[in-house]
């Protein structure tokens, strides 16, 4: 019986109590089940009686007594005790906890995933860096976190569409084209342009493809350099991200919104909602009505649409494609976008609290031996995703970028990340999976099945076995919490904790027989437990986009 199974049993008990007239409450769809802080208080605990007491117009302990009467007869529950003001403490039947191992092995790759899909479509936009240079180290963090979050949301039952928004219109693209053209012509690039060896590489490639470039009129040459250079840069960005294991469902173009008239349509819709006004020759959106610090221009006095107008059109485009929730992953330098995006959502008639989620992440830096890593030779002024992957590899890079909350800045110590010791988190977790794989290969060589349907899981009573079973049972709830709280780091920290629990189990509980010793029922039960643990490590690492090696 997993915590999710127990939560279902509690909900069923509440429904029966309501149907029988013992309680007068609305039956919840789910309830909280947690590990008790004191081990002697049972296997699991729930504060559900305290949560229902006000609606039931009864004392929490009375509600607990009613529920305990229904729950004590449920399959898999040995006893239900009431503690304090009304906490329910559960002790599972002898084999109920052990059945978690069989449940995990039976579910395989599906273990931890939602039992049924949610009727919610989520659009997840991340990275979306200007296509004027390589993928930076900061964007690498959003790539790792965003991709992991997409996998986790999918596992939690959401229908997810991932998206990269290409800012291929505006001043930055004009400056990029001018920089490429200057590099191709051997001229000095203006101070506000783009610099670094990559610009010269792009310029050489453009010149090779369009040898007539330098003979064209200046404006035409700049347009060609801009278009060709942008295409090459996007190809490199896409290749870099795919090599990092990040694949987007859609690459959305800002320029395509302009071409399709989406900005004008957005303004018309917002005007129809009563939130647009004209002043000083410009068109404004009254965002201060929805918490912004000032109203924002949609069209400047020279008739040119603003970036904010494109943001509004893009929001409208996403919602028009049927997405219920729009999730944006943005860097710390975009903090001011939060109020603006919320105002856009509200101006279109949506509820920002349910239709919009803007996640702001902090920056990442690299160090080695306590000293900052120098800037990329190719990029000139910043570190790139290529720099990180070249230094530590894809697995270590992805795991290290994901394991910390986005709320905190991240300093990656390259010496630690590449160290094959237990103080390196990614090595610690991957080694646990490899160690299990080795054990199961040895079991197979001895002719011992690792996932026997007849294994007697009631024999798994050693404290270290119980700890491991409880840890495996937590995995579905970890996924749910990571999805709800938009925190992929929760999966990484769970895996690290589980690795510690497994290593302690391995040290205390011998799994395979030694010498002439015969394999007994306990051997089969422990092999099933070990096989289940491998499933969870594999599934958890998969959610983070990190491999689960069988040998290290």
């Amino acid at each position: 019986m997993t915590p999710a199974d127990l939560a279902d049993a509690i909900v069923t008990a509440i429904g029966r109590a309501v149907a029988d007239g013992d309680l007068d409450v609305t039956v919840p769809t789910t309830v909280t089940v947690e590990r008790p802080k004191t081990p002697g208080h049972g296997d699991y605990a729930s504060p559900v009686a305290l949560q229902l007491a006000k609606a039931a117009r009864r004392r929490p302990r009375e509600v607990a007594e009613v529920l305990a009467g229904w729950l004590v007869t449920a399959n898999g529950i040995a006893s239900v005790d009431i503690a304090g003001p009304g906490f329910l403490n559960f002790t599972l039947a002898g084999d109920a906890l052990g059945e978690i191992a069989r449940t995990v092995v039976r579910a395989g790759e599906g273990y931890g995933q939602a039992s049924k899909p949610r009727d919610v479509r989520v659009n997840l936009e991340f990275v979306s860096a200007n296509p004027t240079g390589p993928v930076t180290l900061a964007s690498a963090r959003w790539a790792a976190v965003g991709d992991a979050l997409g996998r986790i949301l999918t596992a939690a039952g959401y229908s997810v569409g991932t998206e990269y928004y290409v800012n291929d219109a505006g001043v930055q693209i004009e400056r990029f084209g001018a920089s490429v053209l200057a590099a191709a012509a051997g001229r000095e690039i203006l101070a506000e342009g783009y610099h670094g060896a990559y610009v010269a590489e792009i310029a050489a490639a453009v010149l090779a493809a369009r040898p007539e470039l330098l003979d064209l009129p200046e404006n035409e040459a700049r347009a060609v350099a801009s278009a060709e250079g942008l295409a090459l840069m996007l190809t490199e960005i896409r290749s870099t991200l795919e090599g990092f294991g990040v694949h987007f469902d859609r690459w959305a173009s800002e320029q395509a919104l302009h071409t399709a008239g989406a900005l004008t349509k957005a303004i018309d819709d917002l005007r129809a909602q009563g939130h647009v006004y004209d002043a000083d020759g410009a068109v404004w959106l009254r965002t201060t009505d929805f918490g912004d610090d000032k109203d924002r221009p949609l069209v400047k006095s020279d008739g040119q649409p603003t970036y904010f107008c494109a943001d509004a059109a893009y929001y409208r485009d996403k919602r028009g494609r049927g997405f219920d929730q729009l999730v944006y992953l943005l860097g710390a330098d975009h903090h001011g976008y939060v109020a603006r995006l919320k105002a856009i959502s509200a101006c279109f008639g949506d509820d920002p609290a349910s239709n919009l989620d803007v996640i702001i992440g902090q920056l990442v830096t690299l160090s080695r031996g306590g000293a900052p890593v120098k800037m990329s030779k190719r990029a000139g002024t910043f570190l790139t995703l290529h720099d990180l992957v070249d230094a530590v590899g894809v697995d270590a890079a992805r795991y290290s970028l994901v394991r910390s909350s986005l709320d905190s800045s991240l300093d990656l110590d390259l010496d630690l990340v590449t160290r094959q010791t237990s103080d390196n988190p990614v090595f610690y977790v991957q080694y646990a999976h490899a160690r299990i794989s080795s054990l199961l290969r040895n079991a197979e060589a001895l002719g011992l099945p690792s996932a026997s349907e007849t294994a007697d899981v009631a024999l798994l009573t050693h404290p270290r076995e119980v700890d491991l079973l409880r840890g495996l049972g937590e995995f579905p709830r970890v996924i749910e919490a990571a999805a709800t709280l938009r925190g992929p780091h929760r999966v990484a920290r769970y895996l690290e904790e589980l690795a510690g629990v497994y290593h302690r189990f391995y040290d205390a509980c011998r799994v395979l027989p030694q010498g002439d010793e015969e394999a007994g029922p306990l051997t089969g039960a422990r092999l099933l437990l070990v096989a289940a643990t491998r499933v969870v490590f594999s599934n958890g690492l998969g959610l983070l986009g990190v491999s689960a090696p069988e040998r290290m």
Side-chain angles (χ1 to χ4, degrees), residues 39 41 85 89 94 120 142 159 168 208 223 283 286 289 295 401 414 424 491 493 545:
H41 288 176
N89 291 335
V120 180
W142 318 145
S159 175
D168 52 358
V283 180
R286 195 174 286 105
D289 288 350
D295 291 343
L401 291 168
L414 296 183
N424 176 4
V491 174
R493 296 310 174 100

Side-chain angles (χ1 to χ4, degrees), residues 137 364-368 371 373 388 392 396-404 410-417:
L137 184 60
V364 56
T365 56
L366 294 185
S367 63
R368 176 179 276 124
V373 174
L388 178 59
V392 303
R398 285 190 64 125
Y399 191 95
S400 300
L401 291 168
V402 165
R403 73 178 296 267
S404 296
L410 178 61
D411 178 22
L412 289 186
D413 184 337
L414 296 183
D415 289 338
L416 173 60
V417 173

Side-chain angles (χ1 to χ4, degrees), residues 141-157:
R141 190 179 193 184
W142 318 145
V145 172
D147 185 67
L149 181 56
R151 296 167 187 247
I152 289 167
L153 288 169
T154 299

Side-chain angles (χ1 to χ4, degrees), residues 77 79 81 111 176 181 520 536:
I77 298 176
S79 65
D81 298 317
Y111 180 67
F176 178 65
L181 181 60
V536 172

